[in-house]
Coordinates of all heavy atoms in Angstrom, one line a residue:
M1 N -3.0 12.7 -9.8 CA -2.6 11.4 -9.6 C -3.2 10.9 -8.2 O -3.1 11.6 -7.2 CB -1.0 11.3 -9.5 CG -0.5 9.9 -9.7 SD -0.6 9.4 -11.4 CE 0.9 10.2 -12.1
A2 N -3.8 9.7 -8.3 CA -4.4 9.1 -7.1 C -3.5 7.9 -6.6 O -3.0 7.2 -7.4 CB -5.8 8.7 -7.3
Y3 N -3.5 7.8 -5.3 CA -2.7 6.7 -4.7 C -3.6 5.9 -3.8 O -4.6 6.4 -3.2 CB -1.6 7.3 -3.9 CG -0.6 8.1 -4.7 CD1 -0.8 9.4 -5.0 CD2 0.6 7.5 -5.1 CE1 0.1 10.1 -5.7 CE2 1.5 8.2 -5.9 CZ 1.3 9.5 -6.2 OH 2.2 10.2 -6.9
A4 N -3.2 4.6 -3.6 CA -3.9 3.8 -2.6 C -2.8 3.2 -1.7 O -1.7 2.9 -2.1 CB -4.7 2.7 -3.3
I5 N -3.2 3.0 -0.4 CA -2.4 2.2 0.5 C -2.9 0.8 0.4 O -4.1 0.6 0.8 CB -2.5 2.8 1.9 CG1 -2.4 4.3 2.0 CG2 -1.5 2.1 2.8 CD1 -1.2 4.9 1.4
V6 N -2.1 -0.1 0.0 CA -2.6 -1.5 -0.2 C -1.7 -2.4 0.7 O -0.6 -2.1 1.1 CB -2.5 -2.0 -1.6 CG1 -3.4 -1.2 -2.6 CG2 -1.1 -2.0 -2.1
V7 N -2.4 -3.5 1.1 CA -1.7 -4.5 2.0 C -1.3 -5.7 1.2 O -2.1 -6.3 0.5 CB -2.7 -4.9 3.1 CG1 -2.0 -6.0 4.0 CG2 -3.1 -3.7 4.0
C8 N 0.0 -6.0 1.3 CA 0.6 -7.1 0.6 C -0.1 -8.4 1.1 O -0.1 -8.6 2.3 CB 2.1 -7.2 0.8 SG 2.9 -8.7 0.1
Y9 N -0.6 -9.3 0.2 CA -1.3 -10.5 0.7 C -0.3 -11.6 1.0 O -0.7 -12.6 1.5 CB -2.4 -10.9 -0.3 CG -2.1 -10.8 -1.8 CD1 -1.1 -11.5 -2.4 CD2 -2.9 -9.9 -2.5 CE1 -0.9 -11.3 -3.8 CE2 -2.7 -9.8 -3.9 CZ -1.7 -10.5 -4.5 OH -1.5 -10.3 -5.9
R10 N 1.0 -11.4 0.8 CA 2.0 -12.4 1.2 C 2.6 -12.0 2.6 O 2.6 -12.9 3.5 CB 3.1 -12.5 0.2 CG 4.0 -13.6 0.5 CD 4.9 -13.9 -0.7 NE 5.9 -14.9 -0.3 CZ 7.1 -15.0 -1.0 NH1 7.3 -14.2 -2.0 NH2 8.0 -15.8 -0.6
C11 N 3.1 -10.8 2.7 CA 3.8 -10.5 4.0 C 3.0 -9.6 4.9 O 3.4 -9.4 6.0 CB 5.2 -9.8 3.7 SG 5.0 -8.2 3.0
G12 N 1.8 -9.1 4.4 CA 0.9 -8.3 5.3 C 1.4 -6.9 5.5 O 0.7 -6.2 6.4
R13 N 2.4 -6.4 4.9 CA 2.8 -5.0 5.1 C 2.1 -4.1 4.1 O 1.7 -4.5 3.0 CB 4.3 -5.0 5.0 CG 5.0 -5.8 6.1 CD 6.5 -5.7 6.0 NE 6.9 -4.4 6.5 CZ 8.2 -4.1 6.8 NH1 9.1 -5.0 6.6 NH2 8.6 -2.9 7.2
A14 N 2.0 -2.9 4.5 CA 1.3 -1.9 3.7 C 2.3 -1.1 2.8 O 3.5 -0.9 3.2 CB 0.6 -0.9 4.6
L15 N 1.9 -0.8 1.6 CA 2.7 0.0 0.7 C 1.9 0.9 -0.1 O 0.7 0.8 -0.2 CB 3.5 -1.0 -0.2 CG 2.7 -2.0 -0.9 CD1 2.9 -1.9 -2.4 CD2 3.1 -3.4 -0.5
V16 N 2.5 1.9 -0.7 CA 1.8 2.9 -1.5 C 1.9 2.4 -3.0 O 2.9 2.0 -3.5 CB 2.5 4.3 -1.4 CG1 1.9 5.3 -2.4 CG2 2.4 4.8 0.0
A17 N 0.7 2.5 -3.6 CA 0.6 2.2 -5.1 C -0.2 3.2 -5.8 O -1.1 3.8 -5.2 CB -0.1 0.8 -5.2
M18 N 0.2 3.5 -7.0 CA -0.6 4.4 -7.9 C -1.8 3.6 -8.3 O -1.7 2.5 -8.8 CB 0.3 4.9 -9.0 CG 1.0 6.2 -8.7 SD 1.8 6.9 -10.1 CE 3.3 5.9 -10.0
I19 N -2.9 4.3 -8.3 CA -4.2 3.6 -8.5 C -4.4 3.2 -9.9 O -5.2 2.3 -10.2 CB -5.3 4.6 -7.9 CG1 -6.4 3.7 -7.3 CG2 -5.9 5.5 -9.0 CD1 -6.9 4.3 -6.0
N20 N -3.7 3.9 -10.8 CA -3.9 3.6 -12.3 C -3.0 2.4 -12.7 O -3.0 2.0 -13.9 CB -3.7 4.8 -13.1 CG -2.4 5.4 -13.0 OD1 -1.7 5.2 -12.0 ND2 -2.0 6.3 -13.9
C21 N -2.2 1.9 -11.8 CA -1.4 0.7 -12.1 C -2.1 -0.5 -11.8 O -2.9 -0.6 -10.9 CB -0.1 0.8 -11.3 SG 1.0 2.2 -11.8
K22 N -1.8 -1.6 -12.6 CA -2.5 -2.9 -12.3 C -1.8 -3.7 -11.3 O -2.4 -4.4 -10.5 CB -2.6 -3.7 -13.6 CG -3.7 -3.2 -14.6 CD -3.9 -4.2 -15.7 CE -5.2 -3.9 -16.4 NZ -5.1 -2.7 -17.2
T23 N -0.5 -3.6 -11.3 CA 0.3 -4.4 -10.3 C 1.4 -3.5 -9.7 O 1.7 -2.4 -10.2 CB 1.0 -5.5 -11.0 OG1 1.9 -5.0 -12.0 CG2 0.0 -6.5 -11.7
R24 N 1.8 -4.0 -8.5 CA 2.9 -3.2 -7.8 C 3.8 -4.3 -7.1 O 3.3 -5.2 -6.5 CB 2.2 -2.3 -6.8 CG 3.1 -1.6 -5.8 CD 3.8 -0.4 -6.4 NE 4.3 0.5 -5.4 CZ 5.5 0.3 -4.8 NH1 6.3 -0.7 -5.1 NH2 6.0 1.1 -3.9
L25 N 5.1 -4.1 -7.2 CA 6.0 -5.0 -6.6 C 6.2 -4.6 -5.1 O 6.5 -3.5 -4.8 CB 7.4 -4.9 -7.3 CG 8.2 -6.2 -7.3 CD1 7.6 -7.4 -8.0 CD2 9.6 -5.9 -8.0
C26 N 5.9 -5.6 -4.3 CA 6.1 -5.4 -2.8 C 7.6 -5.1 -2.5 O 8.4 -5.9 -2.8 CB 5.6 -6.5 -2.0 SG 5.9 -6.3 -0.2
P27 N 7.9 -4.0 -1.9 CA 9.3 -3.7 -1.6 C 9.9 -4.5 -0.5 O 11.1 -4.6 -0.3 CB 9.3 -2.2 -1.2 CG 7.9 -1.9 -0.8 CD 7.0 -2.9 -1.5
Y28 N 9.0 -5.2 0.2 CA 9.5 -6.0 1.4 C 9.8 -7.4 1.1 O 10.7 -8.0 1.5 CB 8.5 -5.9 2.5 CG 8.1 -4.4 2.8 CD1 6.8 -4.0 2.5 CD2 9.0 -3.6 3.4 CE1 6.4 -2.7 2.7 CE2 8.6 -2.2 3.7 CZ 7.3 -1.8 3.3 OH 7.0 -0.5 3.5
C29 N 8.9 -8.0 0.3 CA 9.0 -9.5 0.0 C 9.1 -9.8 -1.5 O 9.4 -10.9 -1.9 CB 7.9 -10.3 0.6 SG 6.3 -10.0 -0.2
G30 N 9.0 -8.8 -2.3 CA 9.2 -9.0 -3.8 C 8.0 -9.6 -4.5 O 8.1 -9.9 -5.7
T31 N 6.9 -9.8 -3.8 CA 5.7 -10.3 -4.5 C 5.1 -9.3 -5.4 O 5.0 -8.1 -5.1 CB 4.6 -10.7 -3.4 OG1 5.2 -11.7 -2.6 CG2 3.3 -11.2 -4.1
R32 N 4.7 -9.7 -6.6 CA 3.9 -8.8 -7.5 C 2.5 -8.8 -7.1 O 1.8 -9.8 -7.2 CB 4.1 -9.2 -9.0 CG 3.5 -8.2 -9.9 CD 4.0 -8.3 -11.3 NE 5.4 -7.9 -11.5 CZ 5.7 -6.6 -11.5 NH1 4.9 -5.6 -11.4 NH2 7.0 -6.2 -11.6
I33 N 2.0 -7.7 -6.6 CA 0.6 -7.6 -6.1 C -0.3 -7.1 -7.2 O 0.0 -6.1 -7.8 CB 0.6 -6.6 -4.9 CG1 1.6 -7.1 -3.8 CG2 -0.8 -6.4 -4.4 CD1 1.9 -6.0 -2.8
T34 N -1.4 -7.8 -7.4 CA -2.4 -7.4 -8.3 C -3.3 -6.5 -7.5 O -3.9 -6.9 -6.5 CB -3.2 -8.6 -8.9 OG1 -2.2 -9.4 -9.5 CG2 -4.2 -8.1 -9.9
L35 N -3.4 -5.2 -7.9 CA -4.1 -4.2 -7.1 C -5.6 -4.5 -6.9 O -6.1 -4.2 -5.9 CB -3.9 -2.8 -7.6 CG -2.4 -2.3 -7.6 CD1 -2.3 -0.9 -8.0 CD2 -1.7 -2.5 -6.2
D36 N -6.2 -5.1 -7.9 CA -7.6 -5.5 -7.8 C -7.9 -6.4 -6.7 O -8.9 -6.4 -6.1 CB -8.1 -6.1 -9.1 CG -8.3 -5.1 -10.2 OD1 -8.3 -3.9 -9.9 OD2 -8.5 -5.4 -11.4
K37 N -6.9 -7.3 -6.4 CA -7.1 -8.4 -5.4 C -6.6 -8.0 -4.0 O -6.9 -8.6 -3.1 CB -6.3 -9.6 -5.9 CG -6.8 -10.3 -7.1 CD -6.0 -11.5 -7.4 CE -6.3 -12.1 -8.8 NZ -5.3 -13.0 -9.2
A38 N -5.8 -6.9 -4.0 CA -5.2 -6.5 -2.7 C -6.2 -5.7 -1.9 O -7.1 -5.0 -2.4 CB -3.9 -5.7 -2.9
R39 N -6.1 -5.8 -0.6 CA -6.9 -5.0 0.4 C -6.3 -3.6 0.4 O -5.2 -3.3 0.6 CB -6.8 -5.6 1.8 CG -7.8 -5.0 2.7 CD -8.0 -5.9 3.9 NE -6.8 -6.0 4.8 CZ -6.6 -5.1 5.8 NH1 -7.5 -4.2 6.1 NH2 -5.5 -5.3 6.5
K40 N -7.2 -2.6 0.1 CA -6.8 -1.2 0.2 C -7.3 -0.6 1.5 O -8.5 -0.7 1.8 CB -7.4 -0.5 -1.0 CG -6.9 -1.0 -2.3 CD -7.7 -0.5 -3.5 CE -7.4 -1.2 -4.8 NZ -8.0 -2.6 -4.8
V41 N -6.4 0.0 2.2 CA -6.8 0.5 3.5 C -7.0 2.0 3.5 O -7.6 2.6 4.5 CB -5.8 0.1 4.6 CG1 -5.8 -1.4 4.9 CG2 -4.4 0.6 4.3
A42 N -6.5 2.7 2.5 CA -6.7 4.2 2.5 C -6.4 4.6 1.0 O -5.8 4.0 0.2 CB -5.7 4.9 3.4
F43 N -6.9 5.8 0.7 CA -6.6 6.5 -0.5 C -6.1 7.9 -0.3 O -6.3 8.5 0.7 CB -7.9 6.6 -1.4 CG -8.5 5.2 -1.8 CD1 -9.4 4.5 -1.0 CD2 -8.0 4.6 -2.9 CE1 -9.9 3.3 -1.3 CE2 -8.5 3.3 -3.3 CZ -9.4 2.7 -2.5
A44 N -5.3 8.3 -1.3 CA -4.6 9.6 -1.1 C -4.5 10.3 -2.5 O -4.5 9.6 -3.5 CB -3.3 9.5 -0.5
S45 N -4.5 11.6 -2.5 CA -4.5 12.4 -3.7 C -3.1 12.9 -4.1 O -2.9 13.4 -5.2 CB -5.5 13.5 -3.6 OG -5.2 14.3 -2.5
S46 N -2.1 12.7 -3.2 CA -0.8 13.1 -3.5 C 0.2 12.2 -2.9 O -0.1 11.4 -2.0 CB -0.5 14.5 -3.0 OG -0.5 14.5 -1.6
A47 N 1.5 12.2 -3.3 CA 2.5 11.3 -2.8 C 2.8 11.5 -1.4 O 3.0 10.6 -0.6 CB 3.8 11.4 -3.6
S48 N 2.8 12.8 -1.0 CA 3.0 13.1 0.4 C 1.9 12.7 1.3 O 2.1 12.2 2.4 CB 3.3 14.6 0.6 OG 2.2 15.4 0.2
D49 N 0.7 12.9 0.9 CA -0.5 12.4 1.6 C -0.5 10.9 1.7 O -0.8 10.3 2.8 CB -1.8 12.8 0.8 CG -3.1 12.6 1.6 OD1 -3.0 12.5 2.9 OD2 -4.1 12.6 1.0
A50 N -0.1 10.2 0.7 CA 0.0 8.7 0.7 C 1.0 8.2 1.7 O 0.8 7.3 2.4 CB 0.3 8.2 -0.7
S51 N 2.2 8.9 1.7 CA 3.2 8.4 2.6 C 2.9 8.7 4.1 O 3.2 7.9 5.0 CB 4.6 9.0 2.3 OG 4.5 10.4 2.3
E52 N 2.1 9.8 4.3 CA 1.6 10.1 5.6 C 0.6 9.0 6.1 O 0.7 8.5 7.2 CB 1.0 11.5 5.7 CG 0.4 11.9 7.0 CD 1.4 12.1 8.1 OE1 2.7 12.0 7.8 OE2 1.0 12.2 9.3
K53 N -0.3 8.6 5.2 CA -1.3 7.6 5.5 C -0.7 6.3 5.7 O -1.1 5.5 6.6 CB -2.4 7.6 4.5 CG -3.3 8.7 4.6 CD -4.4 8.8 3.6 CE -5.4 9.9 4.0 NZ -6.2 10.3 2.8
L54 N 0.4 6.0 5.0 CA 1.1 4.7 5.1 C 1.8 4.7 6.5 O 1.8 3.7 7.2 CB 2.2 4.6 4.0 CG 3.1 3.4 4.1 CD1 2.3 2.1 3.9 CD2 4.1 3.5 3.0
R55 N 2.4 5.8 6.9 CA 3.0 6.0 8.2 C 2.1 5.7 9.3 O 2.3 5.0 10.3 CB 3.7 7.3 8.3 CG 4.7 7.5 9.4 CD 5.3 8.9 9.4 NE 4.3 9.9 9.8 CZ 3.9 10.1 11.1 NH1 4.5 9.5 12.0 NH2 3.0 11.0 11.3
I56 N 0.9 6.3 9.2 CA -0.1 6.2 10.3 C -0.6 4.7 10.3 O -0.8 4.2 11.4 CB -1.3 7.1 10.0 CG1 -0.9 8.6 10.2 CG2 -2.5 6.8 10.8 CD1 -1.8 9.6 9.6
F57 N -0.8 4.1 9.2 CA -1.2 2.7 9.1 C -0.2 1.8 9.8 O -0.6 1.0 10.6 CB -1.5 2.2 7.7 CG -1.9 0.8 7.6 CD1 -3.2 0.5 7.8 CD2 -1.0 -0.2 7.3 CE1 -3.6 -0.9 7.8 CE2 -1.4 -1.5 7.3 CZ -2.7 -1.9 7.5
N58 N 1.0 2.0 9.5 CA 2.1 1.2 10.1 C 2.2 1.5 11.6 O 2.5 0.5 12.4 CB 3.4 1.5 9.4 CG 3.5 0.8 8.1 OD1 2.9 -0.2 7.8 ND2 4.3 1.4 7.2
L59 N 2.0 2.7 12.1 CA 2.0 3.0 13.5 C 0.9 2.2 14.2 O 1.1 1.6 15.3 CB 1.8 4.5 13.7 CG 3.0 5.4 13.6 CD1 2.6 6.8 13.8 CD2 4.1 5.0 14.6
K60 N -0.3 2.2 13.6 CA -1.5 1.6 14.2 C -1.3 0.1 14.3 O -1.7 -0.6 15.2 CB -2.7 1.8 13.4 CG -3.3 3.2 13.6 CD -4.6 3.3 12.8 CE -5.2 4.7 12.8 NZ -6.1 4.9 11.7
R61 N -0.6 -0.5 13.3 CA -0.4 -1.9 13.2 C 0.5 -2.4 14.3 O 0.4 -3.5 14.7 CB 0.3 -2.2 11.8 CG -0.1 -3.5 11.2 CD 0.4 -3.7 9.8 NE 0.7 -5.1 9.5 CZ 1.9 -5.6 9.6 NH1 2.9 -4.9 9.9 NH2 2.0 -6.9 9.4
K62 N 1.5 -1.6 14.7 CA 2.4 -2.0 15.8 C 1.7 -2.1 17.1 O 2.2 -2.8 18.0 CB 3.6 -1.0 15.8 CG 4.7 -1.3 14.8 CD 5.8 -0.2 14.9 CE 6.5 -0.1 13.6 NZ 7.1 1.2 13.5
N63 N 0.7 -1.3 17.3 CA 0.0 -1.2 18.6 C -1.0 -2.3 18.8 O -1.4 -2.9 17.9 CB -0.7 0.1 18.8 CG 0.4 1.3 18.8 OD1 1.5 1.1 19.2 ND2 -0.1 2.4 18.4
Ligands
ZN101 ZN1 5.1 -8.3 0.7

């Protein structure tokens, strides 16, 4: 299973999405994100790897 860290184009927050899905509901603002159109900032091969990359991305974003 492959994952991508995608950025919501409405609220700008990053979330984890499975790469074989076409859309993902943003947990923060409720927007249905079309993964083809969303900016992908990282890829991961496992759920734990994905959540770690998401955490790092959010940390960088605050600084
Ligand atoms: Zn959002």
